[in-house]
Amino acid sequence: MNTFGNLLKITSFGESHGKAIGVVIDGVPAGLKIDEGFIFEELTKRKPGQSKITTQRNEADEPIIVSGVFENKTIGAPITILISNNDSKTKDYKSIKDIYRPSHADFTYQKKYEIRDYRGGGRSSARITAGWVAAGAIAKLFLKNFNIEVKAYTKQVYNIVLKTPYTQLNLSVSDKNNIKCPDEKIANEMENAIEEARKNGDSLGGIISCIVENCPAGLGEPVFDKLNAQIAKAVFSINAVKAIQFGDGFNIVNFKGSQINDEFIMKNNKIRTLSNHSGGIQGGISNGETIYFETAFKPVSTIFKPQKTLKTNNETVIFKPEGRHDPCVLPRAVPIVEAMTALVIADFVLLSKTNKM
Amino acid sequence: MNTFGNLLKITSFGESHGKAIGVVIDGVPAGLKIDEGFIFEELTKRKPGQSKITTQRNEADEPIIVSGVFENKTIGAPITILISNNDSKTKDYKSIKDIYRPSHADFTYQKKYEIRDYRGGGRSSARITAGWVAAGAIAKLFLKNFNIEVKAYTKQVYNIVLKTPYTQLNLSVSDKNNIKCPDEKIANEMENAIEEARKNGDSLGGIISCIVENCPAGLGEPVFDKLNAQIAKAVFSINAVKAIQFGDGFNIVNFKGSQINDEFIMKNNKIRTLSNHSGGIQGGISNGETIYFETAFKPVSTIFKPQKTLKTNNETVIFKPEGRHDPCVLPRAVPIVEAMTALVIADFVLLSKTNKM
Amino acid sequence: MNTFGNLLKITSFGESHGKAIGVVIDGVPAGLKIDEGFIFEELTKRKPGQSKITTQRNEADEPIIVSGVFENKTIGAPITILISNNDSKTKDYKSIKDIYRPSHADFTYQKKYEIRDYRGGGRSSARITAGWVAAGAIAKLFLKNFNIEVKAYTKQVYNIVLKTPYTQLNLSVSDKNNIKCPDEKIANEMENAIEEARKNGDSLGGIISCIVENCPAGLGEPVFDKLNAQIAKAVFSINAVKAIQFGDGFNIVNFKGSQINDEFIMKNNKIRTLSNHSGGIQGGISNGETIYFETAFKPVSTIFKPQKTLKTNNETVIFKPEGRHDPCVLPRAVPIVEAMTALVIADFVLLSKTNKM
Amino acid sequence: MNTFGNLLKITSFGESHGKAIGVVIDGVPAGLKIDEGFIFEELTKRKPGQSKITTQRNEADEPIIVSGVFENKTIGAPITILISNNDSKTKDYKSIKDIYRPSHADFTYQKKYEIRDYRGGGRSSARITAGWVAAGAIAKLFLKNFNIEVKAYTKQVYNIVLKTPYTQLNLSVSDKNNIKCPDEKIANEMENAIEEARKNGDSLGGIISCIVENCPAGLGEPVFDKLNAQIAKAVFSINAVKAIQFGDGFNIVNFKGSQINDEFIMKNNKIRTLSNHSGGIQGGISNGETIYFETAFKPVSTIFKPQKTLKTNNETVIFKPEGRHDPCVLPRAVPIVEAMTALVIADFVLLSKTNKM
């Protein structure tokens, strides 16, 4: 159950404090040019220790390509990428060995497996998403050949909301600040809010928006692998995600059909829709408009205030963690959302080659 | 891509106006008692023509079990259930043969396959979910052996909202009205709103809530088949779904970690959580609390007001449909949400038998 | 586990004496012309009651296409084909309800499931392969677009062997006799041997040869879905198969490398091999030569001589069956071998569209 | 397509001369004790350079467990094992860069991918099976908990045949000689034959027998994942395999049904069969008898005699390889056959936990 995808498949492995984490990417067509620098750049976007508002764990997060690439090109063989765990301070975690941290996966893993690697959350750690970002980088390289671009950004942190719709934003701005929000002023407010939460030993959640530009019509498979269904599954794989909505999302219920149907029109000799309430997907298949969705991340479960919880022997305990943690995952989650989305789109591009005689 | 599930798998087939629609359910353990009456009851809940607010298409929707059941018990072989399409008025659809109906799947199917069965939406019709409901009925029969119960209800239609939380509702009330809302008064308001929309040739959307009671801790598979990820995929397979949220959902971002963490406590000698902001799932695995999620359905795309759209030859046309359609899918979608959820839970119950030595 | 294939998938369902048996074929590209007459012809080749040497069970075996075909073309939706069980004489089987027939699947099914449909072998009956032949017919229609042809024939029945290599045979002759052997004289001898075995209440096995002509180089997926690996799995799915060999097969061990390597040469401006000891597959991938394999079927387990065996209550019993059975499956197995092979090749043709940038 | 298995899945990666080869093993139940020494021992059995009759490539083949094992126990997370490529003499292979070696996968890979890692066969090298042996070691550790044992041995090399049936052999003898043949005298003859072939620059093939002891009745899934079907697929994944037969195999066609049916009898209060022509599998499901099969390996394609072949530019060339190669793969293939078989059996043990209510 650690494999995701149909033709383009990733297999994730590794624990927070094991030797390494990594990913096997299978199904990448042969002959794709691999730019290792680009993979490293993508990993840098989710790397810990980037700024004062992220965890101070110090990892180089250098991707080691173990297989599948020969003379800078894919050869049709599975691509394995390893990322070492160097700065894994195991001693930090002895104190949580016998504790079920509130809203963490300690308890559920213990119930499921009756054994767990408690160090840094073990397999349930978000550290393993570094492998997904590496895989997503390869998916992005693949998608570039089709001119398809996946771009996510931080839309909301706690009560600070970027209200401007994506159509009116210059998304490249989000690459220039720690928050990955395409509005410098709001990014600044968000950063302050996170910094304040950090000082108070508290944590914040928020919303990430993601768009896919130039996605051709016809991607997505009826009826159980609808494009939105598969993106939803991909995004819910990411730690702390609690919700997702496409196009108008939950808000669409406040309108009548006559208000939110997307009328077909001709534009530059192509069939397009006048509005995009559907978020680029109709009947589970892309319609050629911009794909648009939002996803909510809960506040980080690790807070530095004392909390009541249970020990594994059922005793009540007051718990206050040590170690290093992000007070808000949003900035580092942006590249993960992009990666998982890019993997889904690339998979459907491959599948679409087999739909018609 | 018409198969869903890991060990308990359903394969869906059929088009709105073909000979029949149906489902193959594979992986059901041998020796499960099959109550055909129960399957029929479940199908009756989503059957067309139940009341004036649903489509007047007249289908008996009697399930025919073709295989896999012997002397009223499963034998470990795939169970195939057929449901005939009797009242398929093909003539109603000649008029839409060459039209891309706004916000329907006509255009995306045409782009994907370059051919489509235009009659009643063909494969993209919600009629095929009758098979899923039949499969879900078998999943429910399986889950009864573990005392697990899946229950959904209509929470919102357009701007009429049932604000009472599920913990304070008598959910069995929802079986007694056309809307499947567990509050008679609000159900009445919803019905009136739908009736009014119908009269105006318009359509409404809404929100369905779903809860799973008595789900044991430990269901859900890291890292890509998280319980919420798989439920999300299952629910997004349903026509018209635009959003899903678990536990506090999108609203969780308005709180700080210290406000929404679920503290572990002992209760009746069992480890429980004091609050349930997580919606019964932590780290993608059930924690033994009630699983709770909400999902939004857009207003039905078919409205009986004239709309501008395109013909397949790119000409603009004013379109006003004939035929029979629900002005609001919510009432009939409730059993579909239950069915897809039950299938996911049953699949994970089976998988959980293989997690530990 | 009743689904086979990667992109082109078949899901098999049904028991010998249930309402119907059938198949769902998913992944067939849209726009393939479906010739129902051809499907019926293929089914007729494996139909019971064709001649005195096959079982006298009388089934029309008319395929009913329930879904996935619109105006004689595939639409990208799953194709379901039903075949009714009309002449299922259930009373014949009451006598075997409590008996484990020697070398049948009665005992193993009982151990596996603790329940079984004993009528005619239930799910373990070769009757279900009718669905596979129907699916294989669609695969053959698909392959015709690529000029690829799959052809099997009876090479050996008991001790009567057709020694002529396939390269020197006119394979179309096999369609003209009951045995499906491309040498009329040997076919005649085989038929006599089967008839004699039938009279004696005994049964015979044999060997089927299968070739694939015009298969392009490059089909087959490293490393676990090698073309030979997947064909082997497909063929071992067929009842009574005990062995398979490709190219020179077991006999290759009697030679040295210098004797059996296939030298590359230019022929008509194409890269070919001088010999074909490899049977058209090297490194698990087709090399453009004729694919060639042989598979052994054991003598039918049902014989009409008294045999000692056990009852389900562990008592010893002398068993002599009633009912209708083939004394030799070879003639009816030829179209099944073709069908399963055609399905594998078609699946790999689809996969090959995604191997390269 | 580099993943094999249903619940217990292995994903293979790596090329002969890349950084490392390896495997991810997913689905191993939590709480299995891992004996790293045992994995190393198993790898040593297929290691190159063991004796003068195997390739002199010098690899330590030390397995590095990267993930999934914590304090010597599995935790339910994927287990990744890396094996470095240290002694990869790339320079040896420059000479074959532009040549299609006879009966190798050079040509088919080139046709499939239009690019290939020519060094040592790249992805098509048998070196990657080291990862499978490591995974198989873990499957064996799992099976020990059920007292199931998988044991293979060399039965034939070229024309030297061990005729004694497995029931009369002391299989542990095979661990004591280079050939892994359980008869010292015949092992000696085989070794001499291989040594002579090596001196002549030629190569030999042969037959490996494999048995599974104490396999419980009920393993194997109808209808496409029959136990023999899945073992066949697993074994055909191994380089150079050309044939497989179960029980009496091809020879069964020389007998009548009355001669080869396996009569059920009571033995030590258990249902057993008097004979075992079926090789322990009936209807695709284990019947509790010893599982028995044989598989043929062709002579190694690399020979040190000059051969005519083509260059990638279609020119004819006389080819005589350099480098290091086994003149006969049989001895090193024995642990690979065991590993793939153990993986299949372990997978079906897990699946069998979900067959019944």
Side-chain angles (χ1 to χ4, degrees):
Chain A
M1 316 303 283
N2 291 279
T3 298
F4 179 79
N6 294 290
L7 282 175
L8 184 70
K9 279 184 253 210
I10 63 167
T11 298
S12 164
F13 59 84
E15 293 87 42
S16 176
H17 287 58
K19 284 209 182 70
I21 63 101
V23 74
V24 184
I25 311 143
D26 200 3
V28 181
L32 177 68
K33 210 160 172 292
I34 294 298
D35 175 351
E36 288 199 42
F38 179 71
I39 301 172
F40 188 48
E41 266 171 51
E42 289 291 296
L43 278 169
T44 302
K45 289 184 191 166
R46 80 153 284 292
K47 214 176 73 147
Q50 300 172 56
S51 70
K52 64 184 172 180
I53 60 158
T54 61
T55 171
Q56 296 306 305
R57 180 170 172 167
N58 184 13
E59 294 285 5
D61 277 4
E62 257 181 273
I64 302 159
I65 300 182
V66 169
S67 68
V69 177
F70 179 59
E71 297 177 348
N72 295 315
K73 280 196 172 168
T74 59
I75 55 170
I79 302 164
T80 301
I81 302 180
L82 278 185
I83 299 163
S84 291
N85 292 328
N86 299 314
D87 187 23
S88 50
K89 302 199 176 170
T90 299
K91 64 176 166 11
D92 284 355
Y93 292 100
K94 288 278 170 197
S95 63
I96 62 163
K97 186 180 167 188
D98 302 318
I99 279 177
Y100 296 136
R101 291 170 297 162
S103 287
H104 271 280
D106 303 338
F107 172 67
T108 54
Y109 268 66
Q110 187 67 33
K111 288 296 276 187
K112 185 173 191 65
Y113 297 117
E114 286 173 13
I115 184 175
R116 71 194 154 96
D117 179 353
Y118 54 84
R119 300 167 303 163
R123 180 69 184 148
S124 72
S125 167
R127 169 139 187 83
I128 66 165
T129 60
W132 312 357
V133 170
I138 287 176
K140 283 183 174 183
L141 289 172
F142 172 77
L143 292 176
K144 275 183 189 172
N145 287 274
F146 302 88
N147 202 26
I148 302 171
E149 209 180 344
V150 178
K151 186 78 192 152
Y153 61 88
T154 301
K155 186 198 164 160
Q156 179 170 352
V157 167
Y158 190 46
N159 57 8
I160 300 156
V161 190
L162 171 61
K163 285 182 180 144
T164 322
Y166 71 87
T167 46
Q168 295 162 34
L169 289 166
N170 177 358
L171 298 186
S172 67
V173 172
S174 67
D175 296 330
K176 290 173 190 151
N177 58 61
N178 291 328
I179 300 296
K180 300 192 179 73
C181 171
D183 180 305
E184 284 296 356
K185 191 174 149 289
I186 289 176
N188 212 39
E189 290 176 42
M190 288 172 171
E191 189 158 5
N192 291 340
I194 296 173
E195 177 58 15
E196 197 188 308
R198 193 185 64 75
K199 278 183 192 154
N200 293 333
D202 218 327
S203 66
L204 302 179
I207 293 174
I208 287 174
S209 291
C210 184
I211 67 165
V212 186
E213 296 280 17
N214 300 321
C215 187
L219 299 192
E221 295 284 327
V223 291
F224 295 124
D225 287 82
K226 289 191 163 86
L227 185 49
N228 38 357
Q230 192 71 347
I231 290 175
K233 178 167 178 173
V235 167
F236 270 107
S237 299
I238 305 171
N239 309 49
V241 167
K242 298 305 285 180
I244 193 169
Q245 58 187 1
F246 289 82
D248 287 6
F250 276 104
N251 191 38
I252 208 165
V253 307
N254 298 313
F255 297 87
K256 295 180 180 172
S258 58
Q259 296 171 297
I260 54 85
N261 272 358
D262 293 319
E263 195 176 296
F264 286 107
I265 52 159
M266 292 305 293
K267 205 160 132 184
N268 300 330
N269 233 10
K270 277 188 69 178
I271 299 180
R272 303 288 304 273
T273 62
L274 190 58
S275 49
N276 188 14
H277 299 288
S278 303
I281 302 174
Q282 285 168 335
I285 301 170
S286 63
N287 66 355
E289 303 301 315
T290 300
I291 294 169
Y292 174 70
F293 68 86
E294 294 182 351
T295 179
F297 289 75
K298 69 172 180 180
V300 175
S301 299
T302 300
I303 56 174
F304 293 89
K305 292 170 184 284
Q307 294 173 93
K308 219 152 87 175
T309 191
L310 292 173
K311 296 181 69 171
T312 53
N313 64 2
N314 295 357
E315 276 176 25
T316 303
V317 69
I318 301 296
F319 169 66
K320 192 170 167 302
E322 293 167 37
R324 305 154 299 184
H325 290 278
D326 295 274
C328 177
V329 296
L330 274 282
R332 293 179 59 202
V334 164
I336 310 172
V337 170
E338 286 183 2
M340 291 308 291
T341 305
L343 284 161
V344 170
I345 302 289
D347 191 21
F348 281 118
V349 167
L350 287 176
L351 282 166
S352 72
K353 291 172 185 251
T354 69
N355 288 143
K356 292 175 283 214
M357 286 303 297
Chain B
M1 316 303 284
N2 291 278
T3 298
F4 179 78
N6 294 289
L7 283 175
L8 184 70
K9 279 183 253 209
I10 64 168
T11 298
S12 165
F13 59 83
E15 294 86 42
S16 177
H17 287 60
K19 284 207 181 73
I21 63 100
V23 73
V24 184
I25 311 144
D26 200 3
V28 181
L32 177 68
K33 212 163 169 290
I34 294 299
D35 175 351
E36 288 198 42
F38 179 72
I39 301 172
F40 188 49
E41 266 170 50
E42 290 290 297
L43 279 169
T44 302
K45 289 184 191 165
R46 79 154 286 291
K47 213 175 76 149
Q50 300 172 58
S51 71
K52 64 184 172 181
I53 60 157
T54 60
T55 168
Q56 295 306 303
R57 179 167 172 171
N58 184 14
E59 293 284 4
D61 276 2
E62 257 182 272
I64 303 158
I65 299 182
V66 169
S67 69
V69 177
F70 178 59
E71 296 176 347
N72 294 315
K73 280 195 172 168
T74 59
I75 55 171
I79 302 163
T80 301
I81 302 181
L82 278 184
I83 299 164
S84 291
N85 292 329
N86 300 313
D87 187 24
S88 49
K89 301 199 178 169
T90 298
K91 65 176 164 12
D92 284 356
Y93 294 100
K94 288 278 168 194
S95 62
I96 62 163
K97 187 182 166 186
D98 302 316
I99 281 177
Y100 296 136
R101 290 171 297 162
S103 288
H104 271 281
D106 304 336
F107 172 67
T108 53
Y109 269 65
Q110 188 66 35
K111 288 297 276 186
K112 183 173 191 63
Y113 297 117
E114 287 172 13
I115 183 176
R116 71 195 155 97
D117 178 353
Y118 55 83
R119 301 166 304 161
R123 180 70 185 148
S124 72
S125 167
R127 172 143 186 81
I128 66 165
T129 60
W132 312 357
V133 170
I138 287 175
K140 283 183 174 185
L141 289 171
F142 172 78
L143 292 176
K144 274 183 190 173
N145 288 273
F146 302 87
N147 203 26
I148 303 170
E149 210 180 341
V150 178
K151 186 77 191 151
Y153 61 89
T154 301
K155 186 198 164 161
Q156 179 170 351
V157 167
Y158 189 47
N159 56 6
I160 301 157
V161 189
L162 172 61
K163 285 182 181 144
T164 323
Y166 72 88
T167 47
Q168 294 162 36
L169 289 166
N170 177 358
L171 298 186
S172 68
V173 172
S174 68
D175 295 331
K176 289 171 190 150
N177 58 61
N178 291 328
I179 301 296
K180 300 191 181 74
C181 171
D183 180 305
E184 285 294 357
K185 193 176 147 289
I186 289 175
N188 214 37
E189 290 175 41
M190 288 171 170
E191 189 158 4
N192 291 339
I194 296 172
E195 177 58 14
E196 198 190 308
R198 193 185 64 75
K199 277 183 193 156
N200 293 333
D202 217 326
S203 67
L204 303 180
I207 293 173
I208 287 174
S209 291
C210 184
I211 67 165
V212 186
E213 296 281 17
N214 299 319
C215 187
L219 300 191
E221 296 283 330
V223 293
F224 295 125
D225 287 81
K226 290 191 164 83
L227 185 49
N228 37 358
Q230 192 71 347
I231 290 176
K233 178 166 178 174
V235 168
F236 270 108
S237 299
I238 306 171
N239 310 50
V241 167
K242 298 306 285 180
I244 194 169
Q245 58 186 1
F246 290 82
D248 286 6
F250 276 104
N251 191 37
I252 208 165
V253 307
N254 299 312
F255 297 87
K256 296 180 179 173
S258 57
Q259 295 171 299
I260 54 84
N261 271 358
D262 292 320
E263 195 175 296
F264 287 107
I265 53 161
M266 293 305 293
K267 203 161 132 183
N268 300 328
N269 235 6
K270 278 188 68 179
I271 298 180
R272 301 289 303 273
T273 62
L274 190 59
S275 49
N276 187 15
H277 299 288
S278 302
I281 302 173
Q282 285 167 335
I285 301 171
S286 64
N287 67 355
E289 303 301 315
T290 300
I291 293 169
Y292 175 71
F293 68 87
E294 294 182 350
T295 178
F297 289 76
K298 70 173 181 181
V300 175
S301 299
T302 300
I303 55 175
F304 292 89
K305 292 169 184 284
Q307 295 173 90
K308 222 154 85 175
T309 191
L310 292 174
K311 296 181 72 173
T312 52
N313 63 2
N314 296 356
E315 278 177 23
T316 303
V317 69
I318 301 297
F319 170 65
K320 191 169 167 304
E322 292 168 39
R324 304 153 302 183
H325 291 277
D326 295 273
C328 176
V329 296
L330 273 283
R332 293 179 59 201
V334 164
I336 311 171
V337 170
E338 286 184 3
M340 292 309 292
T341 305
L343 285 161
V344 171
I345 302 289
D347 190 21
F348 281 118
V349 168
L350 287 175
L351 282 166
S352 72
K353 290 171 184 251
T354 69
N355 288 144
K356 291 175 283 217
M357 285 303 296
Chain C
M1 316 300 282
N2 291 278
T3 299
F4 179 78
N6 292 290
L7 282 175
L8 185 70
K9 281 185 251 210
I10 64 168
T11 298
S12 164
F13 59 85
E15 294 87 42
S16 176
H17 286 58
K19 285 209 180 73
I21 63 100
V23 72
V24 185
I25 311 142
D26 201 3
V28 181
L32 177 68
K33 213 165 168 289
I34 295 298
D35 174 350
E36 288 199 43
F38 179 72
I39 301 172
F40 188 49
E41 265 172 51
E42 290 291 296
L43 278 169
T44 301
K45 288 184 191 166
R46 81 153 283 292
K47 213 175 74 146
Q50 299 173 56
S51 71
K52 64 185 174 183
I53 60 158
T54 59
T55 171
Q56 295 306 301
R57 178 168 174 170
N58 184 14
E59 294 285 4
D61 277 3
E62 257 182 89
I64 303 159
I65 300 181
V66 169
S67 67
V69 177
F70 179 60
E71 298 178 345
N72 295 315
K73 280 197 172 168
T74 58
I75 56 170
I79 302 164
T80 301
I81 301 181
L82 278 184
I83 299 164
S84 291
N85 292 328
N86 299 313
D87 187 24
S88 51
K89 300 197 177 172
T90 299
K91 66 178 166 6
D92 284 356
Y93 293 99
K94 288 278 169 193
S95 63
I96 62 162
K97 186 181 165 186
D98 303 316
I99 280 177
Y100 296 136
R101 293 170 296 163
S103 287
H104 271 280
D106 304 336
F107 172 67
T108 53
Y109 268 66
Q110 188 67 34
K111 288 296 276 187
K112 185 172 191 63
Y113 297 116
E114 286 172 15
I115 183 175
R116 71 194 154 96
D117 178 353
Y118 54 82
R119 301 167 304 162
R123 180 71 185 146
S124 72
S125 167
R127 170 139 188 82
I128 66 165
T129 60
W132 311 356
V133 170
I138 287 176
K140 283 183 174 185
L141 289 172
F142 172 78
L143 292 176
K144 274 183 190 172
N145 287 274
F146 301 88
N147 203 25
I148 302 171
E149 209 179 344
V150 178
K151 185 79 191 150
Y153 62 88
T154 301
K155 185 196 166 161
Q156 179 169 354
V157 167
Y158 190 46
N159 56 9
I160 300 156
V161 190
L162 171 61
K163 286 183 180 141
T164 322
Y166 72 88
T167 46
Q168 295 163 34
L169 289 166
N170 177 358
L171 298 187
S172 68
V173 172
S174 67
D175 295 330
K176 291 172 190 150
N177 58 61
N178 291 326
I179 300 297
K180 302 195 179 71
C181 171
D183 179 305
E184 284 293 357
K185 191 173 149 293
I186 288 174
N188 213 38
E189 289 175 44
M190 288 171 172
E191 188 157 6
N192 291 340
I194 296 172
E195 177 58 15
E196 198 188 308
R198 193 185 63 78
K199 278 183 190 154
N200 294 332
D202 217 327
S203 67
L204 302 179
I207 292 173
I208 287 174
S209 291
C210 185
I211 67 164
V212 186
E213 296 281 17
N214 300 321
C215 187
L219 299 193
E221 296 285 328
V223 291
F224 295 124
D225 288 81
K226 290 191 163 86
L227 185 50
N228 38 358
Q230 192 71 347
I231 290 176
K233 178 166 179 173
V235 167
F236 270 108
S237 299
I238 305 171
N239 309 50
V241 167
K242 298 305 286 181
I244 194 168
Q245 58 187 358
F246 289 82
D248 287 6
F250 276 105
N251 191 38
I252 209 165
V253 307
N254 298 313
F255 296 86
K256 295 179 181 174
S258 57
Q259 296 172 298
I260 53 83
N261 271 358
D262 293 318
E263 194 175 297
F264 286 107
I265 52 159
M266 292 305 293
K267 205 160 130 183
N268 300 330
N269 235 8
K270 277 189 67 178
I271 299 179
R272 301 289 303 274
T273 62
L274 190 57
S275 50
N276 188 13
H277 299 289
S278 302
I281 301 174
Q282 285 167 334
I285 301 170
S286 63
N287 67 355
E289 303 301 314
T290 300
I291 293 170
Y292 175 70
F293 67 87
E294 294 182 351
T295 177
F297 288 77
K298 70 173 181 179
V300 175
S301 298
T302 299
I303 55 174
F304 292 89
K305 293 170 182 283
Q307 295 173 91
K308 222 155 81 176
T309 192
L310 293 173
K311 295 181 71 173
T312 52
N313 63 3
N314 295 357
E315 277 176 23
T316 302
V317 70
I318 301 296
F319 170 65
K320 190 171 169 301
E322 292 167 37
R324 304 154 300 184
H325 290 277
D326 295 273
C328 178
V329 296
L330 274 283
R332 294 178 60 203
V334 165
I336 310 172
V337 170
E338 286 183 3
M340 291 310 291
T341 306
L343 285 161
V344 171
I345 303 289
D347 190 21
F348 280 118
V349 168
L350 287 176
L351 281 166
S352 73
K353 291 171 185 252
T354 68
N355 288 144
K356 290 176 284 214
M357 287 305 295
Chain D
M1 315 303 283
N2 291 279
T3 298
F4 179 78
N6 293 288
L7 282 175
L8 185 70
K9 279 184 253 209
I10 64 168
T11 297
S12 165
F13 59 84
E15 294 87 42
S16 177
H17 287 58
K19 284 209 181 69
I21 63 98
V23 72
V24 184
I25 311 143
D26 200 3
V28 181
L32 177 68
K33 211 165 169 292
I34 295 298
D35 175 350
E36 288 199 41
F38 179 72
I39 301 172
F40 188 50
E41 266 172 49
E42 291 291 296
L43 278 170
T44 302
K45 288 183 190 166
R46 79 154 287 291
K47 212 176 75 148
Q50 300 173 55
S51 70
K52 64 183 175 185
I53 60 158
T54 60
T55 170
Q56 296 305 303
R57 178 168 172 169
N58 184 14
E59 293 285 4
D61 277 2
E62 257 181 273
I64 302 159
I65 300 182
V66 169
S67 68
V69 177
F70 178 59
E71 296 176 349
N72 295 315
K73 280 195 172 169
T74 59
I75 54 170
I79 302 163
T80 301
I81 302 181
L82 277 185
I83 298 164
S84 291
N85 292 328
N86 299 314
D87 187 24
S88 50
K89 301 199 177 169
T90 299
K91 64 175 168 5
D92 283 357
Y93 293 100
K94 288 279 170 193
S95 62
I96 62 164
K97 188 182 164 188
D98 301 318
I99 280 177
Y100 296 136
R101 291 170 298 161
S103 287
H104 271 281
D106 304 336
F107 172 67
T108 53
Y109 268 65
Q110 188 67 35
K111 288 296 276 187
K112 186 173 191 61
Y113 297 116
E114 287 172 12
I115 183 175
R116 72 196 154 96
D117 178 354
Y118 55 81
R119 301 167 303 160
R123 181 71 186 146
S124 73
S125 167
R127 171 140 187 82
I128 66 165
T129 61
W132 310 358
V133 170
I138 287 175
K140 283 182 173 185
L141 289 172
F142 172 78
L143 292 175
K144 274 183 189 172
N145 287 274
F146 302 88
N147 201 26
I148 303 170
E149 209 179 343
V150 177
K151 186 77 191 149
Y153 61 89
T154 302
K155 187 197 163 161
Q156 180 169 351
V157 167
Y158 189 45
N159 57 7
I160 300 156
V161 189
L162 171 61
K163 285 183 180 141
T164 322
Y166 72 89
T167 47
Q168 294 162 35
L169 288 166
N170 177 357
L171 298 187
S172 67
V173 172
S174 67
D175 295 330
K176 290 172 190 150
N177 57 61
N178 291 329
I179 301 296
K180 301 194 179 71
C181 171
D183 180 304
E184 284 294 359
K185 192 175 148 291
I186 289 176
N188 213 37
E189 289 176 43
M190 288 171 171
E191 190 158 4
N192 291 339
I194 296 172
E195 177 57 16
E196 198 188 308
R198 194 186 63 76
K199 278 184 192 154
N200 294 333
D202 217 327
S203 67
L204 303 179
I207 293 174
I208 286 174
S209 291
C210 184
I211 67 165
V212 186
E213 297 281 16
N214 300 320
C215 187
L219 300 192
E221 296 285 328
V223 292
F224 295 124
D225 287 82
K226 290 191 164 85
L227 185 49
N228 36 359
Q230 192 71 347
I231 289 177
K233 179 167 178 173
V235 168
F236 270 108
S237 299
I238 305 171
N239 309 48
V241 167
K242 297 306 286 181
I244 194 168
Q245 57 186 1
F246 289 82
D248 287 6
F250 276 105
N251 191 37
I252 208 165
V253 307
N254 298 313
F255 297 86
K256 295 179 180 174
S258 58
Q259 296 172 297
I260 54 85
N261 271 358
D262 293 319
E263 195 175 296
F264 286 106
I265 52 160
M266 292 305 294
K267 205 160 133 183
N268 300 329
N269 235 8
K270 277 189 68 177
I271 299 179
R272 302 289 303 273
T273 62
L274 191 57
S275 50
N276 188 14
H277 299 289
S278 302
I281 302 174
Q282 285 168 335
I285 301 170
S286 63
N287 66 356
E289 304 302 315
T290 300
I291 293 169
Y292 175 70
F293 69 86
E294 293 181 350
T295 179
F297 288 76
K298 69 173 182 180
V300 175
S301 299
T302 300
I303 56 174
F304 292 89
K305 292 170 184 283
Q307 295 173 88
K308 221 155 85 177
T309 192
L310 292 174
K311 296 181 71 172
T312 52
N313 63 3
N314 295 355
E315 277 177 22
T316 302
V317 70
I318 301 297
F319 171 65
K320 192 171 166 302
E322 293 167 37
R324 305 153 300 182
H325 290 277
D326 295 274
C328 177
V329 296
L330 273 285
R332 294 178 59 201
V334 164
I336 310 172
V337 170
E338 287 183 2
M340 291 309 290
T341 306
L343 285 161
V344 171
I345 302 289
D347 190 22
F348 280 118
V349 167
L350 287 176
L351 281 166
S352 72
K353 290 170 185 250
T354 68
N355 288 144
K356 291 176 284 217
M357 285 305 295

